[in-house]
Amino acid sequence: PTFTASYPLMRWIFIREGIQVVHSHQATSAMGNEAITYSAEMGLASVYTDHSLFGFHDLASVVLNRVLQVTMSTLGGAICVSNICKENYVQRTKVDPEIVHVIPNAIDCSKFTPDPTKRGKNRIKVVIVSRLVFRKGVDLMVGIIPRICEAFPNVDFIIGGDGSKRFKLDDMVERERLRDRVEFLGFVPHKSVRDVLVRG
């Protein structure tokens, strides 16, 4: 809705601050999409970082993907946090895959140090801590957890987090009779994430 109306202000900021690279996050940010488009108009380098998976079929995703195809058409480079995120982003935006680079999320190793004494002795625990929404790959978990449990009888899952797709995981666990193999923790406060991760 603000497209072109915000150009004079952003142009003034880019010039005043001596901006050389415009970096945007969040596909649903009107300001971020505008900034990427304006940067090309002004001859500035632009980078976009994508953190999440988006759909292709619901109305909101269809509209968002069309907007991204326009705003990302002048993009200088993109960063995605995983290979599946890159595939999703390229498919949605029609951006040249050659300009999209995968840089996984980083962690503070001083805070997230493994603690082998917290692991089970006879079973492998796969730990997932995430918002349980489509954008974080819950649908992929629903498909892969039963296959892993069938192929590897000594593997269990610990899932921390909550969200709109939690019900899909619950349904899968009930359907596949995996209640003894998948533990749900619900919302995990940030300060407790390490304590959950070291269980795996």
Side-chain angles (χ1 to χ4, degrees):
T2 58
F3 215 72
T4 69
S6 61
Y7 180 68
L9 179 60
M10 281 199 189
R11 181 179 180 277
W12 178 72
I13 291 170
F14 291 170
I15 292 170
R16 183 192 73 193
E17 299 298 322
I19 302 297
Q20 297 174 345
V21 178
V22 175
H23 184 203
S24 174
H25 294 252
Q26 190 61 27
T28 56
S29 166
M31 183 181 288
N33 283 299
E34 292 166 5
I36 292 292
T37 304
Y38 301 157
S39 66
E41 186 64 29
M42 295 179 63
L44 301 173
S46 60
V47 178
Y48 173 78
T49 299
D50 200 43
H51 303 269
S52 302
L53 304 178
F54 283 91
F56 297 93
H57 304 297
D58 60 288
L59 181 59
S61 293
V62 169
V63 171
L64 178 62
N65 294 342
R66 291 285 168 93
V67 169
L68 288 176
Q69 287 174 16
V70 172
T71 59
M72 300 294 156
S73 64
T74 61
L75 189 67
I79 299 167
C80 292
V81 297
S82 68
N83 287 317
I84 194 72
C85 184
K86 175 181 177 177
E87 289 175 25
N88 179 269
Y89 175 75
V90 168
Q91 192 173 0
R92 289 183 301 115
T93 62
K94 310 297 186 230
V95 168
D96 178 4
E98 293 296 315
I99 69 164
V100 183
H101 307 278
V102 175
I103 302 175
N105 287 323
I107 61 166
D108 183 341
C109 294
S110 67
K111 293 180 181 171
F112 291 94
T113 306
D115 184 352
T117 65
K118 302 290 186 195
R119 295 184 192 143
K121 301 292 183 235
N122 301 319
R123 302 197 62 77
I124 296 170
K125 303 280 187 177
V126 176
V127 180
I128 300 165
V129 179
S130 175
R131 283 183 295 127
L132 302 180
V133 297
F134 174 83
R135 293 170 47 189
K136 297 300 179 184
V138 170
D139 293 277
L140 300 174
M141 285 189 264
V142 168
I144 198 68
I145 289 174
R147 294 171 71 180
I148 291 172
C149 287
E150 181 180 359
F152 304 98
N154 64 327
V155 173
D156 297 325
F157 287 82
I158 300 169
I159 301 175
D162 214 344
S164 61
K165 293 285 187 171
R166 162 73 187 263
F167 78 94
K168 284 197 158 206
L169 289 165
D170 284 326
D171 289 348
M172 175 272 298
V173 166
E174 288 302 318
R175 182 181 63 250
E176 302 292 335
R177 296 186 173 104
L178 295 173
R179 193 54 70 190
D180 60 331
R181 307 274 305 272
V182 179
E183 177 185 355
F184 290 105
L185 303 177
F187 174 76
V188 178
H190 186 74
K191 64 181 180 163
S192 303
V193 170
R194 182 206 176 264
D195 297 334
V196 173
L197 292 178
V198 296
R199 292 176 59 191

